[in-house]
Amino acid sequence: MARAWLTDRTVLSVTGQDRIGFLQGLVSNDVAAATDTALIWCGYLTPQGRYLSDFFIWHEPDRLLLDVPADHAAMLRTKLLRFRLRADVQIEVTDLCVEALWGDNAEDRGMRADPRLASAGARRIAQSLRREDTAAVSAYHAHRLSLGLPDAVDCESEKTLLIEANFDWLNGISFSKGCYMGQELTARTHYRGLVKKRLVPVQGDGPLPPPGTALMLDGREVGQMRSAIGQRGLALLRREAWTVTLHHEGTTLTPLIPDWFKDETS
């Protein structure tokens, strides 16, 4: 079993009588599905349906807690409050900390299962227990990359579609909850099967290229590198590159299709 205090995460508190309905109209998943024992994971989009951020929602009796990327916290608070109008909603940055637990027997008091994949482990929020441990945080990200789980660094702000980042296959979108900001493009892409590229785990036989590096096949660009640790990473790849070996400056990249990937042609 492994664990890490995620120093790259911040927790926002959302209070007020209208908090659930307020967020319901702004995020990709069903806020009402968050319970005292179950998290939800969701995306927050531009009105045009492009990625701005993603976060986990924790339900507590008198508030919702948003487990967000630390460098998105101020932006999210500002943007969300713009939609408050007359709703009874308050959003504040807290000093709470996020811990991740994974591996064998990944259970502990106060933990809630990561809703993306069972093998992802669990998370908990605690008061002032943050420990600066860069190696532990790196080990957590190596774990998520081994599973093919995206993080904020794998998504381009105002460009990435949630389905390109596999939110539909990782329980990050509700297609039955009704309207939310950016919902039209997300739903259209899903129902028409328009997605041509997705984030795919890759393994290199040496250090992987830096994020943003164009990946080529037969002289044409078929993808871009995203985050990586060592020889494992994620790349945004066109469908024709999912099952072929790619090369970049002497490094061979092999796509590793997870068992949770689905056959959209069936």
Side-chain angles (χ1 to χ4, degrees):
M1 182 176 68
R3 60 200 315 155
W5 290 100
L6 302 182
T7 51
D8 54 356
R9 308 292 295 185
T10 293
V11 179
L12 301 180
S13 170
V14 184
T15 56
Q17 292 185 350
D18 300 326
R19 61 189 180 277
I20 294 177
F22 169 75
L23 281 178
Q24 189 74 293
L26 294 174
V27 302
S28 66
N29 216 335
D30 185 357
V31 180
T35 70
D36 292 342
T37 58
L39 303 179
I40 67 163
W41 180 55
C42 62
Y44 174 66
L45 307 175
T46 67
Q48 295 75 32
R50 306 287 176 167
Y51 176 93
L52 281 175
S53 189
D54 66 274
F55 44 86
F56 298 88
I57 298 181
W58 298 66
H59 178 274
E60 293 191 342
D62 58 351
R63 63 181 179 177
L64 298 173
L65 297 177
L66 311 185
D67 166 359
V68 310
D71 57 356
H72 288 191
M75 174 273 290
L76 278 169
R77 181 176 184 273
T78 298
K79 287 186 176 293
L80 290 172
L81 285 174
R82 288 177 184 168
F83 294 97
R84 180 173 56 178
L85 301 177
R86 296 183 180 181
D88 178 12
V89 173
Q90 298 80 43
I91 305 174
E92 300 298 338
V93 179
T94 75
D95 61 356
L96 295 169
C97 305
V98 178
E99 185 181 29
L101 188 71
W102 68 97
D104 294 338
N105 302 315
E107 298 178 3
D108 203 353
R109 186 172 184 177
M111 287 283 178
R112 299 184 193 179
D114 189 313
R116 297 173 295 181
L117 289 174
S119 52
R123 303 168 82 88
R124 77 174 172 123
I125 288 178
Q127 182 75 44
S128 301
L129 292 176
R130 187 189 302 266
R131 295 178 177 85
E132 299 291 341
D133 188 340
T134 303
V137 175
S138 181
Y140 166 76
H141 286 293
H143 169 65
R144 73 161 181 87
L145 287 170
S146 73
L147 298 175
L149 298 179
D151 198 56
V153 295
D154 300 303
C155 302
E156 288 188 278
S157 180
E158 301 188 34
K159 291 185 178 181
T160 298
L161 304 180
L162 288 190
I163 291 177
E164 291 176 342
N166 301 320
F167 277 65
D168 54 335
W169 293 347
L170 293 168
N171 305 309
I173 303 173
S174 169
F175 291 104
S176 61
K177 61 170 274 187
C179 294
Y180 58 89
M181 190 166 68
Q183 180 261 350
E184 182 178 358
L185 178 60
T186 304
R188 186 168 69 245
T189 303
H190 170 70
Y191 288 115
R192 293 185 180 179
L194 298 177
V195 64
K196 297 179 180 179
K197 54 190 175 182
R198 285 184 181 266
L199 286 174
V200 178
V202 294
Q203 180 170 308
D205 62 355
L208 290 170
T213 299
L215 301 176
M216 311 298 290
L217 178 66
D218 297 331
R220 61 191 180 87
E221 185 174 332
V222 292
Q224 284 189 348
M225 195 66 211
R226 293 292 186 256
S227 66
I229 294 178
Q231 294 174 256
R232 295 294 293 270
L234 284 175
L236 185 66
L237 296 179
R238 295 184 64 87
R239 185 176 300 275
E240 62 265 31
W242 290 7
T243 56
V244 299
T245 300
L246 304 173
H247 303 277
H248 180 80
E249 296 184 356
T251 298
T252 298
L253 290 77
T254 303
L256 303 175
I257 302 301
D259 58 8
W260 49 264
F261 258 49
K262 300 178 183 179
D263 182 1
E264 294 177 306
T265 64
S266 60

